[in-house]
């Protein structure tokens, strides 16, 4: 039996060693800032646009570059073949391989798996970029370039976090695995099947999964615990056998476009209320505790309005706005295929038009039920029009929402890491968008997941002039270093 005073001294020594190691690691990160920026510059220069088949060689090179960086660090690295992609013209194209890497296999330690992607959205200088999107440009501490924030800098920050421990000959506090894909921006083709195939091999010893593919809500660091799913629909109305001249035939035919606009108008009210029966009834009620969490979040409605360039929002108070951004469904109409949309005027009656709209999913909605509700509702509305035209409704995406428990030790560890690095508590936020991979990981592996963003609220993801601030990139690397240490403190029973 150890004397209590001796035990206290031992504990003090251990905690001092930990804080001393952290300071050394932080010093290492600060000393290597320029190398980290240079690594990001090299990655941004690779035009890894997954939506453009002509850029596929660049995408393959991006995956090989990622794998090589992990190999040079001594990781057990694999480039996993996930098959081919079928193009609309019937041709097939090799999908970019998924990079997996393992650092450490100590059975006495927790194992975390970091997910990221290194493909990007399209970008051209003539789209309105102030700088060449594929030449990382440092302006006032912001690093501008396509993919800088989404998701190349976060992936590199995780790699550099592991590298920092190695450089100082410090043992990693947990085993670290990586899964890095190259098709996230176009729907992660092939990844679900790969996760399922490797569930009992690569993922079998994983305790926790970490995703850093999102952003903060304000200048305060955040932990993300939920995302909305998405059901994407096509509603096609077909009438005459070909397009018609509106002067010759206008007034004699029942026009498909008029039918389509008429039924689209019945999806949602001007005040944002979804009119499809059964949708709102399926939503989990807002608890008092959740209301309080939203109330405490740092969010400026005026700057939000200014950022998106509108004078009025759908809701006038913070809690309602955040709730409708994160935890209530919404209908968005995205466009109409087949309609005349070029510049100038054309007096055409389109023979067939297809509306594209989506409904964001939240707990406890079920995409299969939503598909039925929307299809039945639109057909009933259409029938009332007594139109001879034909309506066809299809759901092309049915992604479920994802929600985590903010009291889970994984989130407690996240709060502690944020406190250590930024000296403040994080906002606990949800994401209005959809990150389908989170739900896939949860459903297939059954592991606990945390989303730990380092991107800024104003990074301009998918937009012109995307950037990652140098501050977020470097401090984010420190956050990941601290987080690995915090996760190692989680008791083995708390899985």
């Amino acid at each position: 039996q150890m004397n209590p005073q001796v035990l206290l001294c031992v504990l003090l020594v251990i905690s001092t060693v930990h804080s001393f190691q952290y300071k050394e690691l932080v010093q290492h990160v600060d000393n290597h800032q320029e190398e980290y920026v240079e690594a990001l510059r090299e990655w941004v220069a690779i035009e890894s646009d997954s939506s453009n088949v002509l850029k596929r060689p660049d995408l393959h090179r991006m995956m090989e570059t990622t794998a090589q960086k992990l190999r040079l660090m001594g990781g057990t690295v694999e480039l996993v073949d996930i098959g081919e992609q079928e193009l609309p013209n019937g041709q097939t194209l090799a999908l970019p391989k998924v990079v997996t890497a393992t650092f450490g296999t100590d059975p006495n330690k927790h194992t975390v798996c970091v997910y990221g992607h290194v493909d990007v959205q399209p970008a051209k200088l003539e789209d309105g970029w102030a700088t060449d999107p594929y030449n990382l440009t440092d302006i006032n501490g912001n690093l501008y370039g396509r993919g800088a924030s989404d998701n190349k800098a976060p992936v590199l920050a995780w790699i550099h976090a592991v590298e920092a421990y190695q450089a100082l000959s410090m043992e990693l506090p947990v085993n670290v695995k990586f899964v890095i894909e190259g098709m996230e921006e176009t729907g992660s083709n092939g990844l679900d099947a790969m996760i399922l195939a490797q569930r009992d091999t690569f993922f079998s010893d994983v305790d926790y999964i970490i995703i850093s593919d999102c952003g903060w809500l304000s200048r305060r660091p955040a932990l993300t615990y939920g995302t909305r799913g998405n059901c994407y629909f096509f509603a096609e109305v077909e009438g005459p056998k070909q397009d018609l001249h509106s002067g010759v035939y206008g007034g004699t035919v029942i026009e498909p476009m008029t039918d389509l606009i008429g039924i689209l108008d019945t999806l949602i009210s001007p005040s944002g209320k979804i009119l499809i029966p059964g949708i709102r009834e399926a939503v989990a009620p807002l608890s008092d505790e959740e209301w309080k969490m939203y109330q405490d979040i740092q969010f400026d409605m005026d700057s939000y309005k200014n950022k998106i360039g509108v004078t009025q929002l759908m809701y006038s108070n913070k809690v309602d706005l955040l709730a409708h951004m994160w935890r209530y469904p919404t209908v968005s109409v995205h466009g109409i295929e087949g309609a005349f949309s070029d510049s100038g005027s054309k007096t055409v009656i389109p023979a067939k038009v297809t509306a594209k709209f989506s409904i964001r999913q939240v707990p406890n909605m079920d995409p299969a039920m939503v598909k039925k509700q929307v299809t039945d509702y639109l057909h009933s509305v259409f029938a009332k029009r007594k139109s001879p035209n034909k309506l066809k409704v299809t759901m092309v995406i049915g992604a479920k929402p994802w929600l985590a428990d903010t009291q889970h030790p994984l989130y407690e560890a996240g709060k502690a890491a944020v406190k250590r690095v930024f000296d403040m508590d994080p906002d606990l936020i949800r994401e209005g968008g959809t990150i389908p991979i989170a739900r896939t990981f949860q459903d297939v592996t059954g592991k606990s997941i945390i989303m730990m963003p380092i991107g800024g609220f104003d990074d301009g993801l998918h937009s012109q002039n995307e950037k990652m601030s140098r501050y977020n990139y470097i401090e984010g690397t420190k956050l990941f270093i601290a987080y690995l240490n915090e996760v190692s403190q989680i008791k083995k029973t708390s899985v």
Side-chain angles (χ1 to χ4, degrees), residues 64-75:
E64 182 51 53
T65 300
T66 306
Q68 187 58 14
K69 187 169 181 70
L70 292 161
R71 275 191 211 110
L72 291 171
M73 290 163 57

Side-chain angles (χ1 to χ4, degrees), residues 84-87 89-94:
E84 293 184 321
Q85 171 184 8
E86 190 168 334
L87 303 177
N89 63 8
Q91 289 183 308
T92 57
L93 189 65

Side-chain angles (χ1 to χ4, degrees), residues 26 42 81-82 86 91 102 110 142 169 228 288 307 391 400 422-424 459 466:
V26 163
E42 286 168 16
D81 190 336
I82 54 168
E86 190 168 334
Q91 289 183 308
T102 303
H110 288 304
N142 287 321
S169 302
R228 290 195 289 193
D288 291 345
K307 180 183 149 195
L391 170 67
K400 293 177 180 177
F422 297 99
D423 196 28
M424 63 177 79
D459 280 355
E466 178 185 344

Side-chain angles (χ1 to χ4, degrees), residues 74 225 284 394 491:
Y225 67 95
T394 49
K491 290 185 175 66

Side-chain angles (χ1 to χ4, degrees), residues 139-159:
I139 303 171
N140 299 328
N142 287 321
L143 307 166
Y144 290 90
R146 173 56 90 220
S149 183
D150 183 19
N151 182 231
K152 290 179 176 179
V155 170
L156 279 167
W158 271 114
I159 293 172

Side-chain angles (χ1 to χ4, degrees), residues 118-156:
V118 288
D119 63 314
V120 300
Q121 285 276 319
K124 293 194 192 96
L125 186 61
E126 56 268 30
D127 289 342
W129 282 72
T131 58
D132 177 352
Y134 295 106
N135 179 15
L136 193 74
T137 309
D138 189 342
I139 303 171
N140 299 328
N142 287 321
L143 307 166
Y144 290 90
R146 173 56 90 220
S149 183
D150 183 19
N151 182 231
K152 290 179 176 179
V155 170
L156 279 167

Side-chain angles (χ1 to χ4, degrees), residues 391-461:
L391 170 67
K392 181 178 163 193
V393 181
T394 49
M395 187 172 87
V396 292
I397 296 172
K400 293 177 180 177
W402 167 78
L403 193 63
D405 173 12
T406 56
Q407 304 303 312
H408 189 281
L410 211 47
Y411 280 84
E412 296 302 331
K415 294 169 199 171
V418 168
K419 187 81 172 168
R420 173 164 229 163
V421 177
F422 297 99
D423 196 28
M424 63 177 79
D425 295 318
D427 275 336
L428 293 170
I429 66 172
R430 286 161 79 157
E431 190 71 44
T434 305
I435 304 178
I437 193 60
R439 186 62 191 239
T440 301
F441 276 132
Q442 183 175 295
D443 290 348
V444 174
T445 70
K447 312 295 183 183
S448 297
I449 300 163
I450 185 171
M451 289 193 187
M452 179 169 275
I454 58 167
F457 69 96
D458 56 352
D459 280 355
L461 314 186

Side-chain angles (χ1 to χ4, degrees), residues 128-246:
W129 282 72
T131 58
D132 177 352
Y134 295 106
N135 179 15
L136 193 74
T137 309
D138 189 342
I139 303 171
N140 299 328
N142 287 321
L143 307 166
Y144 290 90
R146 173 56 90 220
S149 183
D150 183 19
N151 182 231
K152 290 179 176 179
V155 170
L156 279 167
W158 271 114
I159 293 172
H160 295 146
V162 171
E163 214 173 33
Y165 279 100
Q166 292 181 333
L168 297 176
S169 302
M170 291 179 188
E171 203 180 319
L172 278 170
V174 293
N175 305 313
V176 180
K177 291 190 169 191
F178 286 93
V179 173
I180 300 166
E181 68 156 323
M183 289 296 286
E184 192 274 344
E185 298 294 2
T186 51
S188 295
N189 317 41
L191 188 66
D192 285 13
M194 177 255 173
I195 293 168
L196 191 57
Q198 303 225 10
R199 179 181 61 189
D200 301 324
T201 51
F202 182 81
F203 293 103
S204 64
D205 59 349
V206 170
D207 296 300
Y208 309 117
I209 292 168
I210 309 167
I211 299 173
S212 299
D213 186 22
C214 36
W216 298 353
L217 184 66
S218 65
R219 298 202 183 279
R220 179 186 286 276
L223 298 175
T224 307
Y225 67 95
T227 61
R228 290 195 289 193
N230 199 17
C231 287
Y232 202 109
F233 290 90
F234 290 174
E236 174 190 290
V237 178
E238 188 173 5
K241 64 181 179 181
Q242 63 197 41
D243 288 354
L244 302 173
H245 186 303
S246 70

